[in-house]
Amino acid sequence: METTTRIGMNKTGIKSSPFDTRALLEVSDEAAPSVPGPESELVALKMSYAKEADALGSVPPPATVKGTVKSGVDAIKGARPQVVFDKIAERLAFERTGVRLYEALLVKHAATDGLESIVPAAELVKIRDDEAAHFRLLVESMESLGGDPTAQTPCAAATGIAGQGLMQLVNDPRTNFLQSLQALHIAELTDVDGWAMLIEIARSSGHTKLAEAFQRAEQQEERHLANVRKWMLGLTKAELGKA
Amino acid sequence: MALDLLKMNGTPLSKQRFTWREMVAKPISKLDDDAFTRVRVILMNGIETEALRFQHACARMNGELRPALAQIRRVEQHQATQVNWLLGADHSPLETTIAYEQVAVEVTAALAQNEPDDYLAQAYRFGLLEDFDHLYRYSALMDRMEGKDANNILQSYTDVLPGRPTAVEHRDPLDDVREPFKAKDAAFLTKLNATVLMASEHQTHDYYMNIGPLFADPVARLLYAEIASIEEQHVTHYESLIDPDQTWLEQWLMHEATEVYTYYSCVQHESNPRIKAIWERMLDYELGHLQAVRELFKKHEKRDPMEVLDGSLPEPINFASQREFVRQTLTNEVDLRARGTQFVPLDQESDASREYRAYLNSQGSPTDTIAKGYHWFPGGELARKVVTIGARH
C-alpha cells in the first residue's frame, strides 16, 4: 500500500491542460444558458418535493406493559417514548457500524508497515471492543425500556445513510491508513456529541439510570477522538519529517 | 374476480402519457411499507425492463413492426421509470440487493408451486435454492461490512440460511441450457411463469453488474462478481425454458400478457393504497398494449390471438412468505446438480462443470469467504449474546 503523498501526473485541474483549457474557456464564455432565469427555481422545485414528502418511517410500538415490567430496570416514561427509542436506536446503529469500521481499519493497519510506533494496533483493538460494548449497552438499554433493539428506526436509517461514505472510504484498498482515519475522525466527532446529546435526552425524559450508564461511554468516545486526532497529526507530521 | 382478456381493452395507447412529476413521485417507506410492496416494485421493474429488452430485440429483427414497437416501448420506458423510482435512496445498494434476493426466493417459490409442468417446476425449485443461498451470502456481507441486519429488509418473511452453496453453482454453460416447453401444448400459466422468472433474473443480473463496481470493499466487489455470474447462468436457464419456435408476435403477445398478469397480481395483493392506484393504472395501460398487439397479431399473422392467450388470467401470483415450501425444497433437493438439460444427483454431475468450477474457484471463492462461520442473528451477529429473542411477543 502506498503511504506517502507524492507528486505525479494528476490530470484533474485546468493547469494540467493549458491549451485545451484556453479553447474550453473561449466557448464557455460565449455560450448563453439554454433557459434564462434564476437558480432559485431549482430551490423551489426541491421545496415542493420537501413539502409533499412522506417521512422515512416510524418507530415500532413498545412491548407490552407486562414484558416491560418483567425485564425493565427503567421502564419507558413520558407521553412520547418513541423519541427516546429513536435516539437510542440511532446510537445503536452507529456503534454497530462503528465496530465494522474499526475492523476494516485494523485490516489496513496490518497491511501497512511502520505504523505501530505511532498507532499501536492494541489501541485500535481496544476502541473496536469499546464500540462493541457500547452497542451491547444500547441493546440492553432498549430492551430495558421495552423497545425492540433489532428495529431500524428513522434516526437509525438516517445514520446509516450518513455512514455510507465512511464505510466506502475505510474499505477501499487504495485509501491509505491516514486517509481512512478521515472516516473515523468524522465518526468519532459525531459519536462524542451523539452520546452527549443522548445523555441529555435521557435525563430530560426522566431516565437518570440510563444517563449514568451512558456517561462512561461518552468518556470513552472522547478518548477515541483524542487518539484519532493524535494519530492523524502524528502520521502527517511524520511524513513532513517533523515528527 | 378473474380478468377477462377478451373484454378488457384498457387505456387506449393515445391516452397513455406521463409528466416527469408523475414518474418521479414519492417513494415507498423502507421502514413502514410491507416487504412485499417492495417485492412487487422490484418485480415490476424487472417485468418492464424485460419489455424494453424484448421490444428492442424485436425491432432489430422486424422492420415492419418498428413503428408500433417504438410507440408502445416509449410507454414501457416511462412505466419502468415510475415503478423503479418508487425505491427510495434510503435503501443502500446492499439493502436493495437483499430485497432483490427476497424477490427471487419468494416469487420463484410461489411460481414453482403453481406450475403445472413438472419439468419447469423442477427447474424453478433448482433456481430457487441458488438464489436462497445468495440471500445468505449478501446478508453476511451486509452484517460484516455495513453493520446492518438483513432482516430489517426481509421483515421475517424469508429465512437467512445457506442453500445450495454458491461456490458449487458454477456450471459449464452447456449444463445451464434446458428443454423448452412446446408453446402449442403448454398451459397459459406455464408460458406466463417462464416469462416472469426470465424477466426477474435478467434484471437481477443487470443490477449486480451495475452496482458491483460501486463498492469500495474488494470482498463486496468479488461477491457481486461471483453472484452476477450465477445470475447470468440463471438467465440462460430460464430463457432456455421458453419455446424458441414461437413467432416474434407470439412472444410479444406473451410479454404483454405477462405484464397484464403481474400488474393484476399486484393489484390483488397491494396493501398500500397509493401504490395500489399505480398498479391499477399500469394494469389499464398494459391491457391497452395487449389490445394493440392483438390487432397487430391478427393483421400480420392472420391468426386468432386466442391461439396464444387464454381468455381469463390464472390465479394471481401469491405474494406471501413461502417459508415452508422453501425449507422442504432445501431439505429434499439441495444436493441436486444439473447435467445437460437434466437435474441429477450430486455424483452424476458432469466433468465439464466440475472442471469449469475448479479453475474459477482456484484462487478462492468470495461467497465462501464472506460467510465463514456466519449465523444470522436478530440485530446482527454482534448482538448474538444480548438480544432476548421474542421479548416483544
Side-chain angles (χ1 to χ4, degrees):
Chain A
M1 178 180 295
E2 186 169 308
T3 55
T4 52
T5 311
R6 61 180 171 83
I7 300 279
M9 295 298 288
N10 183 312
K11 298 177 183 62
T12 59
I14 59 168
K15 291 185 179 172
S16 302
S17 317
F19 297 110
D20 283 337
T21 300
R22 199 174 304 135
L24 185 71
L25 290 175
E26 282 166 14
V27 177
S28 177
D29 286 347
E30 289 166 11
S34 74
V35 182
E39 199 179 326
S40 59
E41 277 187 30
L42 190 141
V43 176
L45 178 60
K46 288 187 183 188
M47 279 281 284
S48 71
Y49 271 94
K51 284 180 176 171
E52 289 172 16
D54 293 333
L56 284 179
S58 65
V59 176
T64 60
V65 174
K66 188 181 162 194
T68 308
V69 170
K70 194 174 166 188
S71 63
V73 293
D74 192 12
I76 192 71
K77 299 178 172 80
R80 295 181 60 76
Q82 65 270 29
V83 178
V84 178
F85 284 154
D86 198 16
K87 296 311 285 184
I88 292 178
E90 173 192 328
R91 215 62 275 113
L92 184 154
F94 196 93
E95 296 294 325
R96 185 174 49 197
T97 298
V99 176
R100 300 310 192 183
L101 286 176
Y102 275 101
E103 284 175 350
L105 192 66
L106 274 161
V107 170
K108 205 152 278 184
H109 187 279
T112 311
D113 293 331
L115 282 178
E116 190 64 24
S117 61
I118 298 175
V119 187
E123 289 285 328
L124 290 177
V125 172
K126 169 78 172 62
I127 298 182
R128 190 269 317 269
D129 292 348
D130 284 349
E131 306 294 0
H134 297 169
F135 166 65
R136 287 193 286 272
L137 168 68
L138 290 156
V139 169
E140 285 161 3
S141 303
M142 186 71 111
E143 291 216 307
S144 75
L145 297 176
D148 181 354
T150 70
Q152 191 178 50
T153 69
C155 280
T159 209
I161 297 164
Q164 285 285 308
L166 307 185
M167 180 200 66
Q168 288 278 76
L169 177 55
V170 181
N171 280 300
D172 194 325
R174 299 169 306 165
T175 55
N176 65 28
F177 188 83
L178 180 56
Q179 288 156 352
S180 301
L181 275 177
Q182 288 183 31
L184 278 310
H185 189 223
I186 294 169
E188 294 296 2
L189 280 165
T190 304
D191 221 6
V192 168
D193 219 31
W195 278 104
M197 289 191 285
L198 187 61
I199 289 165
E200 210 171 311
I201 289 162
R203 278 207 190 102
S204 62
S205 56
H207 300 292
T208 48
K209 283 184 192 165
L210 279 187
E212 283 168 26
F214 292 164
Q215 268 176 333
R216 186 173 149 70
E218 185 198 13
Q219 288 159 7
Q220 286 174 327
E221 296 297 354
E222 280 170 357
R223 282 200 293 279
H224 300 172
L225 176 59
N227 272 338
V228 169
R229 285 188 92 255
K230 182 177 72 184
W231 297 333
M232 291 178 82
L233 278 170
L235 290 168
T236 309
K237 285 180 181 174
E239 205 186 334
L240 284 169
K242 293 178 180 173
Chain B
M1 189 189 72
L3 203 67
D4 189 336
L5 294 183
L6 287 175
K7 290 182 182 162
M8 307 278 284
N9 288 332
T11 307
L13 201 52
S14 59
K15 299 261 171 68
Q16 299 187 6
R17 54 188 195 165
F18 295 85
T19 68
W20 303 118
R21 291 297 291 255
E22 285 174 327
M23 281 186 258
V24 184
K26 291 194 282 192
I28 62 168
S29 168
K30 182 177 80 169
L31 309 182
D32 288 9
D33 270 303
D34 190 86
F36 276 96
T37 294
R38 180 170 41 233
V39 163
R40 285 183 283 273
V41 168
I42 292 169
L43 178 68
M44 293 321 300
N45 183 57
I47 300 292
E48 288 292 356
T49 49
E50 168 60 26
L52 290 167
R53 188 182 301 117
F54 170 79
Q55 289 175 29
H56 275 299
C58 186
R60 287 169 200 172
M61 306 296 283
N62 299 279
E64 58 189 356
L65 294 178
R66 284 180 180 180
L69 283 160
Q71 285 177 308
I72 292 180
R73 202 170 53 230
R74 184 63 49 82
V75 181
E76 310 278 21
Q77 163 67 23
H78 293 161
Q79 289 177 282
T81 307
Q82 182 167 11
V83 169
N84 202 28
W85 266 234
L86 288 172
L87 284 184
D90 51 336
H91 290 84
S92 72
L94 194 41
E95 285 175 315
T96 305
T97 298
I98 298 292
Y100 266 66
E101 293 298 347
Q102 185 171 39
V103 173
V105 170
E106 300 298 353
V107 174
T108 308
L111 270 48
Q113 290 170 85
N114 71 12
E115 173 53 52
D117 182 306
D118 289 344
Y119 177 73
L120 270 79
Q122 171 70 84
Y124 299 164
R125 295 195 303 275
F126 188 81
L128 163 66
L129 295 186
E130 303 197 333
D131 286 319
F132 185 71
D133 192 74
H134 303 166
L135 175 59
Y136 167 72
R137 311 285 159 176
Y138 281 129
S139 296
L141 176 69
M142 191 153 102
D143 193 344
R144 291 176 165 180
M145 182 178 71
E146 292 191 355
K148 288 185 188 162
D149 178 2
N151 195 52
N152 290 153
I153 297 297
L154 302 170
Q155 298 177 4
S156 301
Y157 286 121
T158 311
D159 292 340
V160 181
L161 293 169
R164 179 175 302 119
T166 304
V168 302
E169 293 171 9
H170 306 291
R171 288 177 287 275
D172 183 85
L174 298 183
D175 288 331
D176 281 318
V177 181
R178 309 283 167 248
E179 290 282 353
F181 61 72
K182 293 287 178 204
K184 67 179 175 49
D185 304 324
F188 187 39
L189 180 59
T190 291
K191 297 192 287 183
L192 290 169
N193 282 345
T195 311
V196 169
L197 290 176
M198 175 180 66
S200 179
E201 291 293 312
H202 212 138
Q203 89 152 337
T204 304
H205 167 264
D206 291 356
Y207 182 68
Y208 295 167
M209 291 298 285
N210 280 312
I211 66 156
L214 301 182
F215 288 89
D217 188 333
V219 175
R221 295 167 75 88
L222 283 160
L223 194 68
Y224 277 91
E226 185 179 357
I227 296 181
S229 177
I230 300 298
E231 302 303 348
E232 161 57 22
Q233 291 184 207
H234 283 184
V235 179
T236 304
H237 164 94
Y238 287 112
E239 80 186 356
S240 63
L241 292 166
I242 292 172
D243 186 348
D245 294 328
Q246 296 172 98
T247 66
W248 281 98
L249 267 163
E250 280 178 84
Q251 295 201 50
W252 192 5
L253 267 179
M254 276 313 301
H255 272 76
E256 296 300 344
T258 302
E259 291 185 80
V260 169
Y261 175 55
T262 44
Y263 278 124
Y264 167 70
S265 299
C266 291
V267 170
Q268 300 303 311
H269 282 273
E270 187 54 61
S271 53
N272 179 328
R274 184 172 65 82
I275 307 300
K276 184 173 181 174
I278 293 173
W279 301 145
E280 286 169 340
R281 176 183 179 185
M282 299 299 181
L283 174 58
D284 280 342
Y285 280 24
E286 293 303 342
L287 285 164
H289 299 174
L290 184 61
Q291 159 67 8
V293 180
R294 272 165 38 201
E295 293 308 314
L296 288 168
F297 189 81
K298 287 185 213 165
K299 179 181 165 193
H300 291 279
E301 301 222 348
K302 311 277 189 278
R303 293 160 64 197
D304 183 350
M306 288 302 115
E307 289 176 29
V308 177
L309 309 172
D310 262 7
S312 62
L313 285 176
E315 285 297 305
I317 295 169
N318 183 19
F319 289 112
S321 172
Q322 310 296 332
R323 175 174 280 118
E324 289 312 314
F325 176 77
V326 175
R327 286 181 184 176
Q328 189 189 337
T329 306
L330 188 61
T331 304
N332 297 338
E333 302 186 11
V334 70
D335 285 336
L336 283 187
R337 298 291 182 269
R339 184 188 180 98
T341 60
Q342 299 305 306
F343 304 102
V344 298
L346 193 62
D347 58 357
Q348 292 175 29
E349 194 176 25
S350 73
D351 289 341
S353 276
R354 288 203 183 96
E355 286 162 18
Y356 166 78
R357 175 189 312 144
Y359 181 74
L360 206 51
N361 290 336
S362 60
Q363 293 183 321
S365 156
T367 50
D368 274 356
T369 305
I370 190 61
K372 285 268 164 73
Y374 186 72
H375 290 264
W376 175 81
F377 192 81
E381 62 181 350
L382 295 172
R384 176 167 283 277
K385 291 176 187 167
V386 285
V387 176
T388 313
I389 301 172
R392 294 189 60 229
H393 299 288

